[in-house]
């Protein structure tokens, strides 16, 4: 757990330092900040919004009953719509995700929680820390397929991250997410049950259409 927290802190610190090293508007183009006025902490001429697409990559850990059962590399694609006012950011997002195997713990525990594909929807509220930087939270639902258990289950996901404007239309972001799933039955030993949980650290890029 300490390793995951340190990795997440490094990702968030990197994004924040990039933001404070730059000046200018958050959105990065006239559609969002006409007459050279800034969004975020400096205020927007009006509330603005944009559809966006993006992609994230990172590391994932799955466990149950405080026992780590799977580690993997993960990547996703997202489609969303973000809305910004003077100090507040709101977004809705749908995503699809896939995970590659790094290590299974079947030989240790007799069971594994290897996950492959996920899809879900999230609500993303945020606040501006500076003209180019958003601190955001994530809450949503995720459906994940655990192929070693042979089941697809829904879970509740929460997360925290930062998003930084680096060029017109382009943002980068980093985040840490935690997901808790419904109880499942493991094949070994017979009839044993557990509550799958997952954490992931992601870094990615966002392209805003307007």
């Amino acid at each position: 757990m300490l390793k995951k927290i340190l990795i997440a802190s490094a990702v968030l610190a990197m994004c924040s330092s990039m933001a404070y090293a730059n000046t200018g508007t958050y959105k990065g183009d006239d559609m969002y900040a006409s007459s050279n006025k800034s969004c975020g902490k400096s205020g927007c001429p009006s509330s603005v919004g944009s559809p966006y697409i993006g992609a994230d990559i990172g590391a994932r850990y799955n466990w149950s009953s405080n026992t780590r059962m799977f580690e993997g590399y993960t990547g996703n694609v997202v489609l969303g719509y973000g809305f910004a006012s003077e100090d507040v950011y709101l977004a809705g997002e749908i995503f699809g995700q896939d995970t590659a195997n790094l290590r299974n713990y079947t030989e240790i525990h007799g069971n594994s929680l290897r996950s492959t594909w996920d899809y879900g929807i999230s609500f993303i509220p945020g606040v501006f820390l500076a003209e180019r930087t958003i601190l955001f939270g994530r809450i949503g639902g995720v459906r994940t397929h655990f192929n070693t258990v042979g089941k697809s289950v829904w879970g509740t996901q929460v997360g925290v991250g930062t998003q930084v404007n680096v060029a017109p239309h382009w943002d980068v972001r980093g985040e840490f997410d935690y997901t808790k799933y419904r109880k499942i039955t493991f094949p070994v030993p017979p009839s044993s049950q557990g509550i799958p949980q997952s954490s992931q650290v992601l870094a990615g890029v966002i392209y805003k259409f307007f």
Side-chain angles (χ1 to χ4, degrees):
M1 178 61 70
L2 178 60
K3 178 181 176 182
K4 292 181 282 186
I5 293 174
L6 290 175
I7 294 173
S9 299
V11 172
L12 299 181
M14 178 184 66
C15 291
S16 297
S17 64
M18 291 174 63
Y20 288 108
N22 291 282
T23 59
T25 63
Y26 168 74
K27 293 300 180 183
D29 56 53
D30 292 340
M31 179 69 182
Y32 290 88
S34 61
S35 303
N36 295 319
K37 294 182 179 180
S38 298
C39 293
K41 287 293 184 180
S42 296
C44 290
S46 62
S47 298
V48 292
S50 174
Y52 62 85
I53 59 173
D56 302 286
I57 58 172
R60 177 175 184 144
Y61 306 87
N62 297 339
W63 73 93
S64 177
S65 302
N66 296 319
T67 301
R68 182 178 295 184
M69 293 186 172
F70 173 75
E71 300 176 10
Y73 299 112
T74 192
N76 67 26
V77 292
V78 305
L79 177 64
Y81 187 91
F83 177 86
S85 62
E86 182 177 354
D87 293 304
V88 177
Y89 178 79
L90 297 174
E93 192 172 283
I94 58 174
F95 62 88
Q97 183 168 314
D98 199 12
T99 301
N101 180 41
L102 177 60
R103 184 179 180 186
N104 262 316
Y105 288 80
T106 308
E107 71 280 4
I108 300 175
H109 310 304
N111 283 303
S112 169
L113 274 176
R114 181 181 177 184
S115 55
T116 50
W117 53 260
D118 309 74
Y119 64 84
I121 185 168
S122 296
F123 172 63
I124 304 173
V127 295
F128 283 92
L129 298 179
E131 288 179 308
R132 294 190 174 205
T133 307
I134 297 170
L135 173 67
F136 67 85
R138 179 186 296 274
I139 182 168
V142 182
R143 186 169 178 82
T144 300
H145 182 67
F146 296 100
N147 65 328
T148 49
V149 182
K151 294 187 177 183
S152 300
V153 295
W154 281 98
T156 300
Q157 185 176 77
V158 294
V160 62
T162 55
Q163 184 166 318
V164 182
N165 176 239
V166 293
H169 300 283
W170 291 97
D171 289 7
V172 296
R173 70 181 182 184
E175 65 181 284
F176 174 82
D177 300 320
Y178 166 78
T179 308
K180 186 174 183 178
Y181 297 91
R182 295 189 295 105
K183 183 182 293 186
I184 63 173
T185 300
F186 291 102
V188 179
S191 300
S192 65
Q193 293 186 323
I195 299 176
Q197 298 172 73
S198 176
S199 63
Q200 58 185 15
V201 179
L202 299 173
V205 61
I206 296 293
Y207 177 81
K208 303 182 299 291
F209 288 97
F210 303 122

